[in-house]
Amino acid sequence: MAAEPQPKALTRKPLLLNKVEGSQEVVNMAAIASKDKENNKISFKSCITVRVWLKRDSGQYWPSIYHAMPSPCSCMSFNPETRRLSIGLDNGTISEFILSEDYNKMTLVKSYQAHQSRVIMILFVLEMEWVLSTGQDKHFTWHCSESGQRLGGYRTSAGACGLQFDVETRHVFVGDHSGQVTILKLEQESCSLVTTFKGHTGGVTALCWDPIQRVLFSGSSDHSIIMWDIGGRKGTAIELQGHNDKVQSLSYAHHTRQLISCGADGGIVVWNMDVERQETPEWLDSDSCQKCDQPFFWNFKQMWDSKKIGLRQHHCRKCGKAVCGKCSSKRSSIPLMGFEFEVRVCDSCHESITDEERAPTATFHDSKHNIVHVHFDATRGWLLTSGTDKVIKLWDMTPVVS
């Protein structure tokens, strides 16, 4: 279900620390490359080039590396501990580089053909020395980052745009364009299907895994986010509605239990996940309004018997009952169900919702650009956003995630 207009942003806002402009192409991925707070580095790719920007004494960013790739870049993964940069290309190749300590040079280590077409996602797992990837060829693969050898693969139902890995259990989560999330168990050279689940009406665009609470978050082109309680083993799925466009990226601040979601609408939403949220009810089926018993327009028999005109069916977002427009004329926010904006509720549910229950559990902020990718540095509370306006922005999120 599409989100309605967002509530006004609260007083605590992210602070814009800096921005990098001047790119000739849309910057579709960026990452904070250094842990040095005083002289941080930002690496990103655009078109067929990979660039590394250093923060100078003046406070401005200047490019220290401009590296042309043999094929357009499609995705990347950077590990600041090893300075290993993995680049996925449109031709299906993954190329690995090591950045020098001064970030003025990148050296090619190895390249391997991971997919038959465009590489969509890359995830480097340092603990396992594995490179996980998904491609437009509808395959998930993983390679040994030391030898470059392919260890195994699995064909997904559609191209995948979401990829997460749990180091402890060796479970990989793959979200694809069909809206399905696939869970695989990886061994050294084999994998097995654990389960699949689907809750989105659009394709999965982003995944985020919390290994402590064992919760998986999935964002979608249907503008929604779903929190899947994997560790609870009860099949609980909580919906979060807070964007007016496709959810582009998800990040999680473990120390404060806050989820950060960014969308194509330019919105940065910070969700408080340290509250007890409720599942949205399943929508009930009925041939007539479950409040006033007026027939819906397809119920010809009751229309004929009662000599009444059929009405359009709606659903109350709080109780899930099928109701007519007259019996659901009110709107209300239901934050604990994920509805931070006002949604349709039946009249009786509207009367039962208290002002305390309408208290917001998320804050909304405008990045002022259409976000295509996000990188969150949880240790410093920095958020890096890149947009279709060819600009990279660095935000200090500590005012809202601390």
Side-chain angles (χ1 to χ4, degrees):
M1 183 192 71
E4 295 181 9
Q6 299 170 351
K8 294 182 179 179
L10 300 184
T11 53
R12 296 182 301 165
K13 298 180 180 180
L15 301 176
L16 181 61
L17 298 177
N18 218 318
K19 59 183 179 180
V20 177
E21 300 176 289
S23 173
Q24 301 302 311
E25 302 287 342
V26 173
V27 182
N28 52 10
M29 191 167 285
I32 301 172
S34 173
K35 294 185 176 182
D36 183 356
K37 187 169 183 177
E38 297 302 321
N39 187 26
N40 61 82
K41 290 86 177 175
I42 298 177
S43 69
F44 73 96
K45 65 176 187 54
S46 173
C47 191
I48 64 170
T49 63
V50 178
R51 306 185 193 186
V52 177
W53 297 71
L54 298 182
K55 185 178 180 181
R56 306 299 183 180
D57 293 338
S58 63
Q60 299 300 310
Y61 288 95
W62 296 91
S64 63
I65 297 176
Y66 182 103
H67 185 89
M69 302 295 292
S71 176
C73 304
S74 56
C75 57
M76 75 174 182
S77 175
F78 182 76
N79 184 275
E81 295 182 23
T82 61
R83 300 190 307 281
R84 184 193 302 266
L85 179 64
S86 303
I87 303 291
L89 305 178
D90 274 3
N91 63 10
T93 301
I94 295 178
S95 296
E96 289 190 352
F97 297 85
I98 296 296
L99 271 62
S100 61
E101 292 187 8
D102 59 5
Y103 290 86
N104 283 305
K105 182 181 180 181
M106 53 188 293
T107 303
L108 178 64
V109 178
K110 67 177 69 69
S111 292
Y112 38 90
Q113 191 68 33
H115 297 275
Q116 298 301 313
S117 56
R118 190 172 190 255
V119 183
I120 298 178
M121 292 286 294
I122 298 177
L123 185 63
F124 173 64
V125 183
L126 177 61
E127 294 86 347
M128 314 300 299
E129 289 291 344
W130 285 351
V131 176
L132 316 180
S133 64
T134 62
Q136 211 167 40
D137 57 2
K138 300 181 181 179
H139 274 84
F140 159 76
T141 65
W142 75 104
H143 292 73
C144 174
S145 60
E146 295 181 318
S147 65
Q149 178 184 357
R150 177 187 168 108
L151 300 177
Y154 182 88
R155 182 175 176 83
T156 56
S157 60
C161 284
L163 184 62
Q164 289 287 283
F165 183 73
D166 181 53
V167 175
E168 181 181 349
T169 63
R170 297 190 182 184
H171 284 145
V172 63
F173 306 92
V174 183
D176 62 44
H177 290 306
S178 72
Q180 179 174 286
V181 177
T182 301
I183 303 181
L184 303 171
K185 169 77 170 182
L186 299 190
E187 302 298 343
Q188 186 60 32
E189 296 183 3
S190 65
C191 74
S192 57
L193 174 65
V194 177
T195 188
T196 60
F197 45 88
K198 185 174 182 179
H200 292 287
T201 58
V204 175
T205 53
L207 292 179
C208 181
W209 172 245
D210 175 12
I212 300 174
Q213 301 296 324
R214 307 203 65 76
V215 167
L216 180 71
F217 299 95
S218 61
S220 171
S221 58
D222 64 10
H223 311 175
S224 73
I225 301 165
I226 297 180
M227 181 185 78
W228 308 89
D229 185 5
I230 306 295
R233 299 181 181 275
K234 295 181 180 179
T236 304
I238 305 294
E239 292 186 40
L240 303 174
Q241 300 280 354
H243 288 278
N244 294 315
D245 207 334
K246 178 170 63 174
V247 178
Q248 298 280 43
S249 187
L250 298 171
S251 302
Y252 192 69
H254 297 276
H255 62 295
T256 57
R257 293 194 63 186
Q258 288 172 294
L259 178 71
I260 302 172
S261 63
C262 299
D265 55 2
I268 300 175
V269 185
V270 180
W271 305 85
N272 179 12
M273 303 310 299
D274 199 24
V275 296
E276 187 175 349
R277 296 184 177 271
Q278 305 168 17
E279 281 190 286
T280 53
E282 292 187 10
W283 286 2
L284 302 178
D285 293 326
S286 179
D287 290 329
S288 58
C289 176
Q290 294 180 299
K291 293 294 182 179
C292 68
D293 202 37
Q294 286 270 40
F296 294 132
F297 64 83
W298 63 83
N299 189 352
F300 298 112
K301 185 180 186 304
Q302 187 176 347
M303 289 167 56
W304 176 263
D305 294 342
S306 62
K307 301 298 188 290
K308 294 179 179 179
I309 298 175
L311 304 176
R312 181 184 175 189
Q313 183 192 62
H314 300 282
H315 284 91
C316 173
R317 300 302 189 268
K318 190 174 191 299
C319 67
K321 289 184 178 179
V323 291
C324 66
K326 184 178 179 181
C327 293
S328 59
S329 59
K330 304 295 178 59
R331 302 290 184 273
S332 176
S333 61
I334 320 175
L336 294 182
M337 283 188 170
F339 299 113
E340 295 287 336
F341 46 82
E342 293 188 342
V343 292
R344 181 185 297 273
V345 294
C346 65
D347 293 352
S348 57
C349 282
H350 185 270
E351 293 177 0
S352 69
I353 302 174
T354 65
D355 290 340
E356 289 78 11
E357 290 176 318
R358 292 189 177 94
T361 62
T363 58
F364 295 78
H365 315 280
D366 185 8
S367 68
K368 300 189 184 303
H369 68 164
N370 181 327
I371 297 174
V372 295
H373 185 264
V374 167
H375 178 237
F376 180 59
D377 184 343
T379 59
R380 289 174 290 189
W382 286 356
L383 187 74
L384 195 67
T385 61
S386 51
T388 56
D389 55 2
K390 306 174 184 178
V391 176
I392 298 175
K393 295 183 179 181
L394 181 63
W395 307 85
D396 182 0
M397 298 296 295
T398 53
V400 290
V401 296
S402 62

